Amino acid sequence: MPIEWWQNKVIPYADTDEEPAELEELEIELLLEAIRRRSGFDFHNYLHSSLRRRIRNRMTQDKLPTVTSLLNRVLHEEGFLDKLLEDFSIKVTEMFRDPEFFLSFRKHVAPILREKKELRIWHAGCATGEEVYSMAILLQEEGLLERSTIYATDMSKDAIAMAKKGRFPLKRMQAYTKNYLQAGGTREFSAYYDTDHSYAYFHDQIKKQMMFARHNLATDGSINEFHVILCRNVLIYFNPELQNRVHGILTDSLAKGGFLALGSKESFISSHKSQFIEFMPDERIFRKLPVED
């Protein structure tokens, strides 16, 4: 039988002897393996419930009846794999997201960072960069930006390209301004950007200390030794095995006495927890041992 037979034939779930959920899970496993082999991105240890939603959304948009038909396009249609990878990338973010976190960082972490002659900060999983610019503004107001280098990484090349521009929809600025003020902002928020009829463009003075690059927490390793690492609202999409791996990367990438910030619903569930103290537990800010005062 020619190998092309299965590539063009759509078999609805209801026409098989297997339970639809079991068949779909098998198809998803085959899809993830194809993605890994074709792109190097390994999603096997992402939460399947999250991946399934994104897969089904792509199927709905492209009117595909089965995951197998989606797999066929990944294997044979130029550019479709990149489209699906962008679907898998998490881009839910906003400026000064969780203002209480930024306020706590400003009050309790920034004074300790002033003791450093230079600062290296890593935003792991930065999405389209809103929180990177938020941190840069905070550091500017605390007199720390000039001595800082902010490394911002994400698995999505489109997200990185957008983050580099420092251009955000003008319609979001009202909500971002409210977040900024609740986070302890000390200036007029509009002083940091120019506008046209559609977008806010953040000033080069804020952008100049930033370095953006593509990095995949699921497969890549440590990239430097940092004084601060922010990996907020990323780990919730990973299963425990991948969370443990990423905890190891973050721990190895952090200088002793350095700060690690996780999302509001995230915590250590691995052996790496013993290397940290809960510096600001309510805001999920941890500090790596040993702490040198």
Side-chain angles (χ1 to χ4, degrees):
M1 183 177 293
I3 193 170
E4 291 85 1
W5 176 84
W6 67 271
Q7 295 171 353
N8 297 314
K9 185 174 180 61
V10 172
I11 305 176
Y13 297 128
D15 291 345
T16 70
D17 293 330
E18 295 182 76
E19 290 292 329
E22 292 182 10
L23 178 57
E24 185 184 46
E25 192 65 25
L26 174 59
E27 289 179 300
I28 289 174
E29 286 294 331
L30 293 172
L31 174 64
L32 297 182
E33 181 60 20
I35 292 172
R36 186 188 68 81
R37 294 192 185 191
R38 294 294 301 275
S39 71
F41 288 100
D42 190 350
F43 293 96
H44 283 91
N45 289 319
Y46 279 58
L47 287 180
H48 276 213
S49 58
S50 177
L51 290 177
R52 190 179 297 111
R53 286 194 299 270
R54 287 167 171 75
I55 289 168
R56 288 176 175 172
N57 183 61
R58 175 50 54 193
M59 290 168 61
T60 299
Q61 290 186 47
D62 289 4
K63 297 179 173 60
L64 300 173
T66 64
V67 179
T68 296
S69 57
L70 187 147
L71 171 60
N72 182 45
R73 295 186 68 177
V74 166
L75 293 175
H76 299 285
E77 182 178 316
E78 184 176 355
F80 191 83
L81 175 57
D82 288 337
K83 182 189 293 186
L84 191 60
L85 289 175
E86 290 301 321
D87 289 340
F88 284 4
S89 174
I90 310 302
K91 302 184 181 71
V92 180
T93 186
E94 62 184 40
M95 296 198 74
F96 292 95
R97 185 180 186 182
D98 302 323
E100 298 81 5
F101 162 79
F102 285 93
L103 182 61
S104 292
F105 191 98
R106 184 189 295 269
K107 288 183 175 180
H108 303 287
V109 178
I112 297 173
L113 297 181
R114 290 195 187 98
E115 301 170 4
K116 305 291 183 182
K117 293 182 179 179
E118 62 175 4
L119 293 171
R120 293 181 300 277
I121 299 170
W122 180 19
H123 277 264
C126 69
T128 47
E130 283 86 339
E131 291 191 55
V132 182
Y133 286 83
S134 302
M135 180 57 65
I137 289 170
L138 186 156
L139 294 173
Q140 170 78 0
E141 294 181 353
E142 295 301 315
L144 294 169
L145 185 59
E146 289 295 326
R147 72 180 84 168
S148 301
T149 303
I150 304 174
Y151 299 80
T153 64
D154 197 88
M155 62 159 283
S156 168
K157 63 181 179 181
D158 288 353
I160 289 296
M162 293 174 64
K164 286 181 179 179
K165 294 179 181 178
R167 184 190 73 178
F168 304 110
L170 188 59
K171 62 184 179 181
R172 298 180 185 170
M173 288 303 113
Q174 183 175 359
Y176 292 173
T177 299
K178 181 179 179 180
N179 286 352
Y180 165 77
L181 293 174
Q182 291 177 349
T186 61
R187 300 180 61 187
E188 292 290 334
F189 188 51
S190 59
Y192 292 107
Y193 59 83
D194 298 315
T195 65
D196 60 17
H197 62 284
S198 299
Y199 293 98
Y201 302 85
F202 281 79
H203 296 162
D204 289 343
Q205 182 182 11
I206 297 299
K207 297 163 58 176
K208 67 180 180 179
Q209 303 301 109
M210 301 176 184
M211 297 180 63
F212 291 94
R214 201 174 183 189
H215 181 274
N216 183 4
L217 286 167
T219 55
D220 297 334
S222 174
I223 59 174
N224 207 321
E225 185 178 67
F226 299 94
H227 302 101
V228 178
I229 298 177
L230 301 103
C231 187
R232 304 180 67 234
N233 306 301
V234 177
L235 297 174
I236 55 175
Y237 298 101
F238 300 162
N239 69 13
E241 180 181 349
L242 183 53
Q243 287 187 28
N244 186 66
R245 179 188 188 277
V246 174
H247 286 161
I249 293 171
L250 301 179
T251 301
D252 292 343
S253 301
L254 196 62
K256 60 184 180 180
F259 296 91
L260 172 63
L262 301 179
S264 59
K265 297 180 180 179
E266 298 169 332
S267 186
F268 278 114
I269 58 171
S270 65
S271 59
H272 305 287
K273 181 178 180 179
S274 62
Q275 300 185 53
F276 289 83
I277 60 171
E278 293 185 329
F279 183 76
M280 295 289 296
D282 289 345
E283 305 305 332
R284 317 314 296 146
I285 300 175
F286 302 84
R287 194 173 186 189
K288 186 178 179 182
L289 298 169
V291 176
E292 293 183 344
D293 295 324

